Amino acid sequence: MLRPISAICSILILFSCASGSPTHLSVLENETPLLPLIALLPPGKTLETLSTSRSKSKVKGILLHHTKGLSPEEYISKSANSGWLVHYLVDKKGRLYGLENAGSVLIKAAPKMDNHVLHLAWEGDKEDILKRPIQRKALVSAIQKISKEFNVPLSNSDVSSFSGIFTHTQGKKKFGAFLNGSDCGNENVLRSILEESKGSFFSEMEWKDRYGDWVLRKERPFVGQNGEIKEPSYDKGRGVTPTPKTELESVERTMDGLLPEEKRLRYNYRGMISADCVVLHFTAINDYDGTILVLEKRNLAATFLADKDGKIYQLLDSPLHMAAAATGTNRNCFQIEIVGKDTEMLLANPAQTAGVVKLVKELSEKYNIPLNNKKVESLKGVFSHTQAKKKWGGSIFLDAQDFDPGEPYMKKVLELAGGTFNEEKDWFERTQGDWVLLFTEFQP
């Protein structure tokens, strides 16, 4: 789909699990009471079933969460019932809940980061803690203590090192393994904490290697030899290379059998594909020409573009040229963009759907591509861009509801093409495998 453009100390914390009575931090500040987090666990859930042990020396950082507006009881209950937990939680009144000897407890809250961080949540949503001085003071105090105890840098620069203080949002953008792309931890809250603690806050574009290997990526602009931003340049396509003949019956052509020159895309050659699969997208843009402009501006490419009237245009000089449209699939798949703002628009256009079905069938027959969407990691089949994004990420935007081009549309196309559609719950190892976007009811 196209879009136009982070406990408290794990110092010696002693408390009575049976009585649930508060105790005190015994090393850094013996006036701060610590309430037992396990007292918030729902019936039938224990710390033993939600955690394993680890060496304290593995702790490098703090990951900051918020409760998305839920009360501490609701938040911990939902977390535990889904197999998650946090090490510490600061409620609206500034009360601190925590686990005993938290640095030695490994829990699940952010896969890919859990081994190296302590999870600290605050009650609330977005940045409303900034309006509650008592809670904010307690959170700042907690972070300062854990940072001192574990030598955690007061910086959010390098999340890939795990060393620092980060929001869960930053962790999600780097590593994936999340339920949805919504804010969690809040950068403005972290900014406030780091500024008061005399640390270093970095905005998103200042994060180390932000144009590098991130699940939710930032697209690198066209740059010159000295790194200066410049106008895009291309080595293939409209007005650059000779107009080729079409090889497919489903694709529009001139009387001479050539691709319509004005419909072609200017792009940069990235190699050839192995032609094993097809990925369908919707443009999220309502017209053909606007789609071409966005693709060119972002240095992206699709193999084909299905216009609203049902006509299919080949954008690249050869259908076997590699497109740049869906991370994890570009080297293997034909990429078909479908003009439309959303799934409903696509479903309401039978002529366009017929054109897409005809193309999918032809590609399937010509290149022996299975007409099913069971196992995206096999790179053999016909898949939605969302399925690929949920597996590998690579998008600038990704949300649990971000179906592209929409699973109802995938069902329609596959079944009209004589294939088999699999619902998300039936995708191969959907709840067990290594997916960027998790299949779970709740995540801290």
Side-chain angles (χ1 to χ4, degrees), residues 164-188:
I165 304 171
F166 313 101
T167 64
H168 192 193
T169 296
Q170 186 174 356
K172 290 191 287 188
K173 289 183 176 182
K174 174 63 181 178
F175 300 108
F178 56 87
L179 173 60
N180 60 55
S182 62
D183 167 79
C184 188
N186 193 271
E187 296 300 319
N188 283 336

Side-chain angles (χ1 to χ4, degrees), residues 252-289:
E252 292 297 310
R253 69 195 69 202
T254 67
M255 296 291 291
D256 298 325
L258 302 177
L259 299 177
E261 177 68 11
E262 71 278 6
K263 298 292 186 178
R264 298 173 65 210
L265 177 76
R266 292 180 299 170
Y267 66 101
N268 291 297
Y269 180 69
R270 295 172 169 87
M272 307 290 281
I273 67 170
S274 55
D276 302 316
C277 49
V278 175
V279 177
L280 303 185
H281 315 239
F282 62 52
T283 63
I285 301 171
N286 201 27
D287 67 278
Y288 188 102
D289 292 340

Side-chain angles (χ1 to χ4, degrees), residues 338-353:
I338 307 162
V339 175
K341 295 189 70 174
D342 50 35
T343 303
E344 289 68 29
M345 180 176 283
L346 269 57
L347 288 170
N349 192 333
Q352 185 185 53
T353 302

Side-chain angles (χ1 to χ4, degrees), residues 22-42:
T23 58
H24 300 272
L25 298 179
S26 58
V27 176
L28 296 178
E29 186 178 334
N30 59 16
E31 296 179 357
T32 303
L34 184 76
L35 300 171
L37 187 77
I38 58 173
L40 301 177
L41 290 175

